[in-house]
Amino acid sequence: MARNNNRQADPPASERRSYGRISSHIQKQQHDPPVDDADSTIPITGTTRQLLPPSVLRNPGGGGAYSNNNNETKVSGINGGFASSDANQHIELRSRRISARSRAKFGSDEKKDSWMHTAADKLADWMPRTPKAMVVTFCALLSVACIAQLSSHPAVTGALESAGGVTQRKLQRNPTSAEEGGNPDFLDDFDQRRRRAADLPDGTVFSEPAHTRMCRSIITRLDAFDAGTTSFEQVIFTESEYVCRNPDSPYTSVLNMFAAQLLHEANNQIGLNVDYTHRCAKWERFCTGNMTTVQFHLPDPLSMNAYAWQDGCIDAAMLRTICTNSLASADPTDPDNILFPSGYLDTDTNTCNLGCYFNQVLPWLRNNLRIVATDWLNTVESRALTFWLRNAAEFSHREKDDMEVSVVGLSCAEEGCDMTQESCVCEFTPLPNWVYAMHIPRSSTNVAIVVSPTCAKFGEGCTLHAQELYHFFHTLYPRADITYNVITATSSWYMRMITADVLVCPPGEGCLLPAIARDAYTYVYEKTDPTVSTWLTCVPDNYLTRLTVPTYPPAFVQGDCRHLRARIGAWSPDMALAPSLQYSSPVDGYLGCADTNFVATAEDPYRPPTTYRWDESVWATCPVEVMTKNELCTQMDRLGLTRMLFVGDHTTMTQAVSLASILGQNSDISLDTSVVPNFTKTITCAGTTIGSFELSYIRNDRLEEPGTTPSPGFPNCGPTNEQFCYPWSTDYSSFAGKQLLIVNTGYHWADDWQGYITNFQNFVGVIDDAAGANAMRKNDVLMFRTSVPGHKECDLHNGVYAHYGEYCPRIVNGAFWHWWGELPPYNDYAIRIINEWNLLNTVKNGPNIELLDPWLMSVLRPDGHLSGSDAGPSCTLDPKECMLYSLPGPVDWWNHLLVQQLADVGTHLENSNPMQAWR
């Protein structure tokens, strides 16, 4: 794979080191394990090591302020981070650093003793003789000592210098350092730290990744093996500082580490005894716990126990070939030389095959990254509160599991840029906005846009795209907490992508490894023209089933409008459309009271709530058009549906009555509370195959069946037995033909979260059982309609809200307001269960569930309620009814939306598009 490599070149052959071992060191480490690896015993020929790129040597999490005072390093402002994954190494390194500072402060023991004796002599000359004077003098001296010690603290010196306008200076290099020529990014005490963590006793630090050095040793031992040597003493290689601390190329750095692990496993199958453990913790800067690269947090040694070695994958001959070719390549540091020795792409057929090498590494990558993610969740994410928990006291009882975090990861197509460069080629290819709307569920409570620093600095349009998404998501997900961050700590960047509920990425290497570590809801776009751009599409099926790799550029598929429609829009008055929004005959009872009492005038020929049109603000090609009987019949016939069954509470009944009225079939529908509310109408569809279909409604306030049948005045369900739950599942499951089932529940669960959760899961079980008992149910079309809250003081409103921002301050919750504030979170939970259900293609019996979501359309309509300003004095209800709407009115648009969604479902099924979880 072509790369934009900015790694430093290899040293010339004359300067390459010869590698060997010292057995005494190997024997010693059984009793006194060194901080450094076996490379510490390898003699060097040629020059000292090359200097590392400045980006590797800077503090990855942000710098601090430094000053020089008597050869002591003062550090302030170092960014914090989460603790080392290897606590023992961290403590050991910290104790060594403290010891080194003590030695630097006092010098030798002789110097320390001499200084103390001199001080004692001076004190004896002027020491007070009386006890009281001695106490006062002692306290004064103790105060001076404390002030002196405090004044030397890094935070104090940094603050004083900053306040005084003193320029902070980096320390000069120690002239005895193993490196000559100087590097302004090295600090004296960091040089001391690095010498203690160095790869060789003289302070030399290797710039090559471990797999490159291991290959040289492996070839030498293979030569000895071929000559008859059968036993080799252990030699241990650790990772280079360049790899461990590289903040700009986490993908390449992590692959470098697993390339070394592959060599470790392969050579030990032969018995060469060349081992690898990364020991990245030794390169932690200043022992602050500020280990911001993901490399630091990988288990040490890498976890391999759960995944057996594939016998026959790499024999001695193949191992020699891999290492020889890697060392002879243009870039011996490239991990692809080890992981893809034969490449993965056949350019003639544009197909790929990973071979056994990377297939062996894949489960290691996944397992180790998931271990890091688990630790990260336990130490960081457990303290993170969602937007709802932070800002809404009425939702304080919600559990953390109610969070749904979606992440958009933006990175360069290929790594290789260094943040210290002024310019670099970073190819960035954004996705259109509708793609994010397709993949990120509307139930998300948090949507985070995370951008790599190299993409933000060098990627053309990367920052602009992130900023546009930030504002777009605020409109698309009005109830979610939207964040946009350039993440400099690759550990945090990777963990956010791995642990998110949903991950969406444009083409780029930054998302490849996090995608492998995830389980579902992963969308990583891949360029396939002219060739496959990465190895992701080549992974085995057991990985591809966990993620989706759509081709780039994305193509809008017919039927996808059902994922976008009615999500961003506004209401507009349209008197020209108003005549088609009226019923041919009024609705009886309280639902039609406002319309019956309305008196038309020249200025107001129609009741105001019936004069608005819904306009799509973003996706004009996915409109909500006014339905007609012919259009509905066409779609029912297209899908072979012979019944439309509504099941739900009073709001669902209002929708069913609305549809019957639009179709001119609202006669004999009684709203009298002394009459059973269920009804069935036959809708004739001339010129169609089905001829007609049934329009039915069954009232069930909670989508549950307690085993009894209610009757008018005698409810049978709910915590206080005040709701009506007529049986419906037997009627549904035994119907002879295909049917459209439209259900809703939520309003009658008040604040009973556990009850709602259990009930909705039971509902999905009923659907599955019905399909298992009757194969016809597998072909049904199911829709869940989201619950719509009411509006406070609806009698004062005579118009619409322009946008969500006008509605938001008027959200109410609590028992007095019938727990309307719980309905959006209930919707979120239902959407999550629907998404999970739709992914179970191979283990479920029932059909997929589509979403009918008029939520935004309805919250922008405070007008038209039964107790609205247009209802009139004769329609007064006590108490006020600000949830149910009068007919005709806003509820009609639920049915206009229904017919449009039904048409998209038909298109989707005709094109045999793979089902995508509803968003």
Side-chain angles (χ1 to χ4, degrees):
M1 178 174 61
R3 289 180 177 275
N4 176 18
N5 287 307
N6 286 279
R7 303 185 182 93
Q8 64 183 50
D10 276 349
S14 61
E15 294 183 5
R16 291 182 180 173
R17 306 171 182 85
S18 60
Y19 290 80
R21 57 183 165 72
I22 297 179
S23 59
S24 61
H25 174 76
I26 303 298
Q27 296 168 359
K28 178 183 177 183
Q29 71 183 90
Q30 297 176 358
H31 307 285
D32 185 18
V35 175
D36 309 309
D37 58 17
D39 290 339
S40 301
T41 69
I42 300 173
I44 291 185
T45 59
T47 61
T48 57
R49 72 166 187 87
Q50 295 172 305
L51 300 182
L52 303 185
S55 65
V56 179
L57 303 174
R58 72 177 190 272
N59 183 359
Y66 310 96
S67 63
N68 188 357
N69 183 16
N70 297 328
N71 203 32
E72 296 179 25
T73 300
K74 308 297 182 184
V75 186
S76 64
I78 301 298
N79 291 344
F82 53 98
S84 168
S85 58
D86 189 337
N88 292 331
Q89 278 191 343
H90 179 74
I91 294 171
E92 178 185 2
L93 291 175
R94 186 171 183 82
S95 63
R96 294 194 176 198
R97 172 175 173 256
I98 293 172
S99 298
R101 286 219 167 175
S102 177
R103 289 194 299 271
K105 185 176 295 185
F106 292 107
S108 66
D109 292 339
E110 179 181 354
K111 181 179 179 181
K112 180 179 178 181
D113 292 342
S114 177
W115 178 86
M116 293 178 65
H117 284 301
T118 302
D121 293 340
K122 296 294 184 183
L123 284 173
D125 295 337
W126 54 270
M127 181 64 68
R129 303 304 182 206
T130 65
K132 182 176 181 180
M134 291 178 66
V135 170
V136 173
T137 303
F138 175 77
C139 292
L141 289 174
L142 184 60
S143 300
V144 171
C146 291
I147 293 173
Q149 185 67 23
L150 182 63
S151 65
S152 65
H153 191 277
V156 175
T157 56
L160 291 174
E161 290 177 353
S162 298
V166 180
T167 303
Q168 304 282 343
R169 294 187 298 107
K170 294 185 177 180
L171 299 180
Q172 298 297 319
R173 294 184 47 76
N174 190 330
T176 63
S177 171
E179 301 169 71
E180 302 299 334
N183 186 323
D185 234 20
F186 282 100
L187 308 179
D188 276 355
D189 76 329
F190 186 43
D191 276 342
Q192 296 166 10
R193 278 265 305 121
R194 294 179 69 255
R195 281 196 295 278
R196 292 195 302 277
D199 296 294
L200 296 181
D202 66 352
T204 299
V205 178
F206 294 129
S207 60
E208 293 176 318
H211 68 78
T212 306
R213 292 175 276 125
M214 289 176 70
C215 267
R216 295 194 183 99
S217 182
I218 287 172
I219 291 175
T220 299
R221 294 193 174 204
L222 282 173
D223 292 340
F225 181 78
D226 292 342
T229 303
T230 58
S231 178
F232 297 91
E233 294 187 19
Q234 184 188 40
V235 59
I236 303 175
F237 287 85
T238 60
E239 200 49 79
S240 73
E241 182 185 17
Y242 177 91
V243 171
C244 290
R245 300 187 60 234
N246 189 337
D248 300 324
S249 303
Y251 168 79
T252 303
S253 298
V254 171
L255 288 190
N256 271 320
M257 299 169 73
F258 282 89
Q261 188 65 37
L262 181 64
L263 292 179
H264 165 93
E265 298 291 335
N267 89 84
N268 276 286
Q269 300 300 313
I270 306 169
L272 300 184
N273 221 5
V274 178
D275 290 344
Y276 170 75
T277 181
H278 64 78
R279 295 272 183 89
C280 278
K282 71 180 183 179
W283 296 119
E284 177 208 354
R285 193 167 192 177
F286 303 117
C287 289
T288 60
N290 188 18
M291 304 193 302
T292 58
T293 68
V294 67
Q295 302 91 282
F296 275 121
H297 298 278
L298 290 169
D300 190 13
L302 297 174
S303 175
M304 306 291 120
N305 297 335
Y307 304 96
W309 177 257
Q310 300 176 19
D311 292 333
C313 179
I314 302 179
D315 57 16
M318 188 62 199
L319 183 58
R320 180 187 291 275
T321 300
I322 291 174
C323 279
T324 300
N325 291 343
S326 177
L327 294 174
S329 67
D331 183 7
T333 67
D334 191 341
D336 286 5
N337 298 337
I338 308 298
L339 301 175
F340 310 106
S342 303
Y344 57 81
L345 178 65
D346 183 345
T347 55
D348 294 332
T349 61
N350 198 25
T351 58
C352 53
N353 182 8
L354 296 181
C356 69
Y357 322 108
F358 197 64
N359 280 336
Q360 177 71 67
V361 170
L362 273 174
W364 300 348
L365 280 166
R366 174 177 167 80
N367 182 52
N368 281 271
L369 287 173
R370 289 173 72 85
I371 290 173
V372 179
T374 300
D375 293 341
W376 188 81
L377 283 174
N378 290 336
T379 58
V380 177
E381 186 63 19
S382 61
R383 296 192 296 271
L385 297 178
T386 67
F387 171 79
W388 289 103
L389 293 180
R390 287 200 310 268
N391 296 285
E394 57 266 31
F395 298 125
S396 60
H397 63 282
R398 293 181 63 199
E399 299 294 334
K400 179 175 180 292
D401 290 342
D402 296 322
M403 278 183 26
E404 186 169 27
V405 180
S406 298
V407 169
V408 174
L410 305 182
S411 63
C412 301
E414 293 183 357
E415 290 183 346
C417 290
D418 190 308
M419 286 297 290
T420 61
Q421 297 173 281
E422 292 299 325
S423 63
C424 183
V425 176
C426 166
E427 181 184 354
F428 172 71
T429 48
L431 294 171
N433 288 352
W434 62 264
V435 171
Y436 299 107
M438 289 272 292
H439 298 318
I440 299 176
R442 63 192 75 194
S443 55
S444 295
T445 57
N446 303 70
V447 182
I449 306 161
V450 295
V451 186
S452 71
T454 51
C455 188
K457 182 175 181 178
F458 303 115
E460 184 177 357
C462 182
T463 300
L464 179 61
H465 182 61
Q467 293 170 345
E468 289 177 345
L469 284 181
Y470 177 76
H471 295 289
F472 173 68
F473 286 163
H474 271 289
T475 303
L476 187 61
Y477 305 97
R479 296 185 299 108
D481 186 12
I482 312 298
T483 59
Y484 157 45
N485 293 290
V486 177
I487 307 294
T488 58
T490 59
S491 57
S492 179
W493 185 38
Y494 264 42
M495 293 310 105
R496 291 192 189 196
M497 290 191 286
I498 292 173
T499 59
D501 295 282
V502 178
L503 174 64
V504 183
C505 295
E509 289 181 341
C511 283
L512 296 184
L513 298 184
I516 288 298
R518 292 174 50 79
D519 283 329
Y521 302 122
T522 305
Y523 307 91
V524 181
Y525 277 76
E526 170 89 345
K527 286 187 175 181
T528 58
D529 185 26
T531 61
V532 175
S533 57
T534 72
W535 45 263
L536 192 60
T537 54
C538 313
V539 298
D541 289 341
N542 60 322
Y543 287 89
L544 289 176
T545 55
R546 299 188 182 106
L547 54 91
T548 303
V549 190
T551 58
Y552 184 91
F556 190 83
V557 180
Q558 284 185 317
D560 282 346
C561 272
R562 71 191 196 283
H563 300 289
L564 309 176
R565 188 178 287 112
R567 296 184 63 178
I568 302 180
W571 292 100
S572 302
D574 190 339
M575 295 304 295
L577 184 65
S580 63
L581 301 178
Q582 312 304 313
Y583 297 159
S584 58
S585 59
V587 177
D588 291 335
Y590 55 88
L591 291 180
C593 182
D595 201 55
T596 300
N597 293 338
F598 175 74
V599 178
T601 65
E603 293 182 354
D604 295 313
Y606 307 104
R607 193 165 55 89
T610 68
T611 61
Y612 287 95
R613 177 191 73 245
W614 176 260
D615 291 330
E616 292 289 325
S617 301
V618 176
W619 298 296
T621 55
C622 300
V624 180
E625 297 178 341
V626 175
M627 64 160 286
T628 63
K629 178 181 177 181
N630 288 339
E631 177 63 19
L632 177 57
C633 284
T634 298
Q635 300 307 326
M636 295 290 286
D637 184 57
R638 180 188 188 187
L639 292 166
L641 303 173
T642 56
R643 180 166 77 160
M644 181 184 296
L645 174 61
F646 289 89
V647 178
D649 58 18
H650 220 128
T651 60
T652 303
M653 184 184 74
T654 304
Q655 182 180 6
V657 173
S658 163
L659 182 59
S661 300
I662 294 173
L663 298 174
Q665 296 290 329
N666 60 1
S667 61
D668 301 326
I669 297 179
S670 176
L671 300 180
D672 193 326
T673 56
S674 63
V675 177
V676 175
N678 305 340
F679 66 85
T680 296
K681 294 290 183 177
T682 299
I683 309 301
T684 302
C685 293
T688 64
T689 302
I690 59 174
S692 64
F693 68 88
E694 292 182 6
L695 171 61
S696 301
Y697 166 72
I698 297 176
R699 180 170 180 179
N700 192 300
D701 293 339
R702 294 162 65 90
L703 282 188
E704 66 180 13
E705 294 176 298
T708 60
T709 301
S711 60
F714 297 94
N716 68 329
C717 61
T720 58
N721 207 44
E722 295 179 348
Q723 278 88 49
F724 293 85
C725 294
Y726 287 87
W728 67 275
S729 60
T730 300
D731 184 279
Y732 164 72
S733 61
S734 61
F735 186 72
K738 288 177 62 177
Q739 58 187 322
L740 168 62
L741 174 64
I742 303 165
V743 301
N744 166 263
T745 187
Y747 177 75
H748 289 282
W749 287 98
D751 64 339
D752 183 8
W753 258 91
Q754 190 55 51
Y756 181 85
I757 290 172
T758 302
N759 177 262
F760 197 86
Q761 293 174 347
N762 290 339
F763 158 70
V764 174
V766 168
I767 297 300
D768 200 49
D769 291 342
N774 183 351
M776 182 62 72
R777 299 286 72 81
K778 296 181 180 181
N779 300 317
D780 289 343
V781 176
L782 271 61
M783 289 188 181
F784 175 81
R785 178 183 60 78
T786 54
S787 298
V788 175
H791 295 83
K792 177 183 178 182
E793 299 174 340
C794 64
D795 56 322
L796 303 180
H797 293 281
N798 57 4
V800 301
Y801 292 139
H803 49 75
Y804 181 80
E806 290 188 6
Y807 164 73
C808 185
R810 297 169 173 83
I811 295 176
V812 292
N813 200 12
F816 181 80
W817 297 105
H818 311 289
W819 299 103
W820 290 342
E822 297 297 324
L823 296 181
Y826 282 166
N827 291 337
D828 292 343
Y829 180 81
I831 293 172
R832 291 168 199 151
I833 296 300
I834 290 171
N835 286 337
E836 296 291 338
W837 169 259
N838 289 346
L839 287 178
L840 301 176
N841 294 323
T842 59
V843 296
K844 69 183 180 184
N845 296 312
N848 291 303
I849 302 176
E850 294 285 338
L851 194 70
L852 181 64
D853 186 14
W855 177 80
L856 180 65
M857 301 172 69
S858 302
V859 299
L860 299 183
R861 295 298 302 269
D863 62 325
H865 285 286
L866 292 183
S867 293
S869 60
D870 64 302
S874 62
C875 301
T876 302
L877 297 177
D878 187 22
K880 289 190 297 185
E881 178 52 66
C882 287
M883 184 166 183
L884 298 177
Y885 286 98
S886 297
L887 295 178
V891 173
D892 296 331
W893 286 89
W894 299 3
N895 289 312
H896 301 326
L897 176 63
L898 166 64
V899 175
Q900 298 294 318
Q901 300 296 86
L902 193 62
D904 282 342
V905 171
T907 302
H908 164 77
L909 295 176
E910 283 181 352
N911 293 340
S912 299
N913 296 327
M915 170 56 74
Q916 178 182 337
W918 177 256
R919 295 308 175 193

